Amino acid sequence: MEGLLGGRIYRLGGDIELDERVSWCPPGIRRTQAVNCYLIKGPSGSVLVDTGVRLHQADIIEQLDRLLSPGEPLSIVLTRTEMECCLNIPAIEERFTVGSVWYTGGITVPRSKAKSKRIAVDPGSSMRVKVMDGVVVELVSPLLRLLPTLWVFDPESGGLLTSDAFTHGGSAVPEAREGLRKFRWFSGADTRPIARNIRDIFRNRDVRAVGPSYGTPFVGTNVCLDQAGELARAIEEMGIQ
Amino acid sequence: MEELVETMSRDLPREVADGVTWMSSCLPFHLQDRVIHGHTSTYLAQGTESSILIDTGNPSSWNIISKTLDGLLGDKPLSYVFPTHPELPHTGNLPRLVEKYPDVKIVGDIRDYHLFYPQIVPNLHARVPGDRVDLGGGYEFVIVEAMIRDLPNTQWGFVPKSGVLFTADGFCYMHRPELDDEDPVHLPGECGLTTDELSAPIAVENAAFFTGSALYWARFANDADQVYDRVGKLMDDLGVKIVAPTHGNVITNIPEVAPIIRAGHKHAYRY
Ligand SMILES: [Zn+2]
Ligand SMILES: [Zn+2]
C-alpha cells in the first residue's frame, strides 16, 4: 500500500506472476506484475477506484481497514466492469458500508445494498461527477479500449487512473508496446484518432501521476507526458494508416 | 442512470436442437423512444453420458439457472462448463457451479481464471481449438477458434451431431421485449423465439447497437467482409446448421440472418 500523491491517492492490491497463464503477458516474459486498485481519500469519505482481483481479496480488505477510519463513507468507481475491477465488491460491501457503485457499459455488476450508478460517457469526451463531498472527479472516456472504459482523473492531486492502459511500468526496460497486448485489434485498425486522443487527454490536464490497473505507476509531470507520447507513438505504429 | 433488472422469458428454457437447450435472461436498455432487450444466454448440451454448460449467465440470474439445471439434469451432476471468455455474463456463476457440482470440469482457454477465481483452480482444464469433449451416444462438443471476439482468451464451441455453433459475443443483436398482456398494439415479444419465428427480419441497427458497444474495435477496423468471409468458410467446413450466440436469439435461418449481422458490423464502423 503506497501513497501515490501527497496522501490523497493510495495504491492497493498485490503482485501476480506474469507468465503464459496470463492473457495480457507479452510472449517470452516471466516476472511479477502489480495489479492495482486505488483509494482517493476525501475530507469526509473515500472513493475506491476498482476493487482488484479476487486473488488479492484478503489483502485489499486489510489495506482498506488500515486506510479507512471506522464508519468512513466509501463509494466505488469502476473503470470497467471486467473481472479484475468488480469481483471484490461483495466482500468489500460485507466489511464496509458502500454508498454507491459507479460504472459504465451494458452489464450488471455484483453488489447488494450499494446504490447502482450507471453512467455513459461518449468515447473521446469526459464528464465531471461529484462522487461524494470533497471528491469531484473527471471521468474520461478514452478511445483506447477494448470494452467500455473510464479513466478517473482527480484534478485536486493530478492523478490519472488509466485502467488497462499504461500497464508497461515495472519491467526492466519499460516499453509502451508491451502494455498493448490486450489491444491486438489495433493491428487491423486506423489507430491515429486513438493516439491523438491520448495526446489531447494529457495536453488538456495537469497530470502529475498515472496509475494503471496493472504495472507500477508513473509519477511526475514530465514522466507522465513522456509516457503519453511514447504510448501514442506505439499505438500509431501498431495500426494501419 | 437506472437500476438494471434481468428477467427470464416465459418461453424458456427450450430445446433448440437435438441435445441442446437454450436458457436466457434479458437485460432492458432504455433508449430515447423505446426499450430494447439484450439476451444473456446459457446453453446446455447433453449426450447420453455427460453434459456441458456453455457460458454461465450473470450472477444475478443464478437462482433461475440453478433451478433450470435441476429440471434438465435430473439427478445427474453437470459434467463440464465451457465459459467462452472471462466476462461476468459468461463466467459469473463459475464459483457457484463448482459449489453445486464439486467434480465439474471447466474447459476452455483458462488464462487469467486463476487470478479471478482462485477458489476454482482445481476444476480448471485448459483446452485448445480442435479439442473434443465426448458426451456419450455420439454427442460431442468441439472447441473452435473464436473469429469474432473482444477479449483475446475467447473460444467458440460446436456440437457436430446437431450442427450448433456457439459464438459467444459474435452474431449478437438486440431484440424486442415481451409485452404486458394489456398492450396489444405492439408486436409480440421476441425473447424466446428463434430467428425463423420472428415476425420481421432483425433490424440492422439492433445488430449495430450490440457490435458498436460490445465489439468496440469494429468502429475502427474496416474489415467486416474479411471477418465474415472467414466465418462463412468455417461454418461451411464444420457443417453449421444453427448459430447460438450468447446475446441474441438462436439463429436457425443462417443464410437470411448472416448478411444482416455483417451489415450491422459494417454499420458500426465509425458510427
Ligand atoms: Zn458477452
Ligand atoms: Zn428479451
Side-chain angles (χ1 to χ4, degrees):
Chain A
M1 186 168 52
E2 230 173 276
L4 192 58
L5 283 163
R8 169 81 169 176
I9 301 185
Y10 289 83
R11 176 159 71 110
L12 284 64
D15 286 344
I16 60 161
E17 287 169 55
L18 185 66
D19 55 25
E20 71 289 345
R21 294 172 303 156
V22 176
S23 66
W24 59 85
C25 181
I29 296 278
R30 215 165 220 288
R31 59 176 172 92
T32 57
Q33 184 182 48
V35 177
N36 317 306
C37 50
Y38 295 88
L39 190 74
I40 305 176
K41 291 281 287 176
S44 56
S46 291
V47 174
L48 181 64
V49 178
D50 291 333
T51 69
V53 285
R54 173 69 169 76
L55 184 70
H56 299 150
Q57 188 180 87
D59 301 324
I60 289 165
I61 298 278
E62 194 211 317
Q63 292 161 352
L64 283 172
D65 255 332
R66 277 189 275 152
L67 284 170
L68 298 172
S69 39
E72 180 174 338
L74 179 68
S75 279
I76 295 174
V77 175
L78 300 179
T79 61
R80 288 165 285 125
T81 54
E82 285 174 70
M83 317 294 271
E84 70 271 35
C85 304
C86 71
L87 283 187
N88 287 330
I89 297 173
I92 291 169
E93 270 203 276
E94 233 168 75
R95 182 78 183 79
F96 308 95
T97 308
V98 179
S100 50
V101 180
W102 300 65
Y103 61 98
T104 190
I107 65 177
T108 48
V109 293
R111 58 179 174 87
S112 59
K113 290 201 200 80
K115 228 194 277 155
S116 155
K117 301 266 198 179
R118 188 160 162 241
I119 24 173
V121 186
D122 276 340
S125 71
S126 71
M127 184 191 280
R128 248 171 208 264
V129 299
K130 181 175 166 185
V131 183
M132 64 171 57
D133 280 337
V135 186
V136 177
V137 295
E138 188 186 2
L139 301 176
V140 179
S141 183
L143 295 188
L144 169 53
R145 64 173 64 194
L146 183 64
L147 293 159
T149 304
L150 296 171
W151 293 359
V152 177
F153 182 60
D154 174 40
E156 184 169 317
S157 65
L160 178 64
L161 308 178
T162 52
S163 195
D164 53 3
F166 292 92
T167 60
H168 55 289
S171 71
V173 191
E175 271 197 63
R177 68 167 59 233
E178 250 194 38
L180 295 175
R181 283 291 295 169
K182 186 176 177 181
F183 308 97
R184 260 162 277 183
W185 67 268
F186 284 0
S187 61
D190 176 0
T191 53
R192 284 171 297 182
I194 301 166
R196 206 177 310 129
N197 177 239
I198 304 269
R199 294 194 178 100
D200 288 345
I201 288 171
F202 280 75
R203 190 176 304 128
N204 300 335
R205 289 165 190 82
D206 177 19
V207 178
R208 277 167 272 162
V210 167
S213 295
Y214 345 110
T216 49
F218 299 99
V219 183
T221 306
N222 288 332
V223 173
C224 293
L225 274 175
D226 285 353
Q227 289 300 328
E230 274 185 36
L231 185 63
R233 240 185 330 274
I235 289 167
E236 277 167 350
E237 280 166 17
M238 219 173 136
I240 47 169
Q241 16 213 288
Chain B
M1 262 185 262
E2 80 271 2
E3 286 286 326
L4 296 180
V5 188
E6 286 184 323
T7 53
M8 162 94 86
S9 161
R10 65 190 107 128
D11 302 325
L12 298 177
R14 68 182 278 197
E15 191 174 39
V16 287
D18 181 15
V20 178
T21 305
W22 177 28
M23 325 167 214
S24 190
S25 294
C26 287
L27 192 62
F29 287 79
H30 298 266
L31 305 186
Q32 242 153 27
D33 53 339
R34 69 204 155 106
V35 176
I36 53 174
H37 268 187
H39 282 110
T40 295
S41 295
T42 305
Y43 298 92
L44 183 71
Q46 289 170 286
T48 52
E49 308 301 320
S50 307
S51 52
I52 185 165
L53 190 68
I54 296 104
D55 282 336
T56 73
N58 269 314
S60 51
S61 305
W62 170 247
N63 289 341
I64 180 95
I65 290 166
S66 175
K67 221 184 294 159
T68 308
L69 284 176
D70 290 342
L72 294 169
L73 294 170
D75 48 16
K76 275 196 194 171
L78 178 68
S79 328
Y80 299 94
V81 186
F82 172 70
T84 57
H85 61 297
E87 282 180 67
L88 270 186
H90 306 269
T91 57
N93 287 316
L94 282 178
R96 281 150 154 171
L97 284 164
V98 171
E99 246 171 66
K100 187 175 166 96
Y101 308 106
D103 295 326
V104 72
K105 288 191 168 73
I106 299 163
V107 293
D109 185 339
I110 53 162
R111 282 178 296 166
D112 307 341
Y113 287 69
H114 62 297
L115 309 173
F116 304 151
Y117 298 116
Q119 67 274 46
I120 62 166
V121 165
N123 300 75
L124 296 172
H125 300 269
R127 294 287 184 275
V128 295
D131 284 354
R132 310 175 93 87
V133 176
D134 185 16
L135 303 175
Y139 294 86
E140 23 168 41
F141 181 82
V142 186
I143 312 277
V144 176
E145 182 197 344
M147 295 196 167
I148 304 164
R149 63 183 182 195
D150 46 33
L151 294 176
N153 43 348
T154 304
Q155 288 175 334
W156 288 359
F158 183 58
V159 173
K161 193 170 164 117
S162 47
V164 182
L165 181 69
F166 301 91
T167 53
D169 286 346
F171 287 82
C172 293
Y173 52 91
M174 316 303 287
H175 63 277
R176 261 196 308 264
E178 280 186 42
L179 296 175
D180 303 334
D181 290 341
E182 298 92 76
D183 192 0
V185 184
H186 297 79
L187 293 162
E190 301 173 336
C191 305
L193 301 182
T194 58
T195 49
D196 63 306
E197 296 165 345
L198 297 173
S199 55
I202 298 160
V204 171
E205 60 266 27
N206 281 351
F209 182 92
F210 184 90
T211 303
S213 52
L215 302 175
Y216 171 80
W217 48 266
R219 300 189 193 190
F220 293 88
N222 191 12
D223 59 355
D225 281 327
Q226 268 161 279
V227 171
Y228 286 88
D229 286 350
R230 280 186 72 213
V231 174
K233 178 160 187 318
L234 171 84
M235 298 216 271
D236 288 345
D237 291 350
L238 290 173
V240 174
K241 298 193 197 89
I242 292 177
V243 171
T246 304
H247 312 289
N249 301 64
V250 171
I251 299 169
T252 41
N253 49 346
I254 299 170
E256 284 86 67
V257 174
I260 300 169
I261 300 287
R262 184 190 290 231
H265 198 113
K266 281 186 183 173
H267 190 81
Y269 180 60
R270 298 208 161 142
Y271 101 95

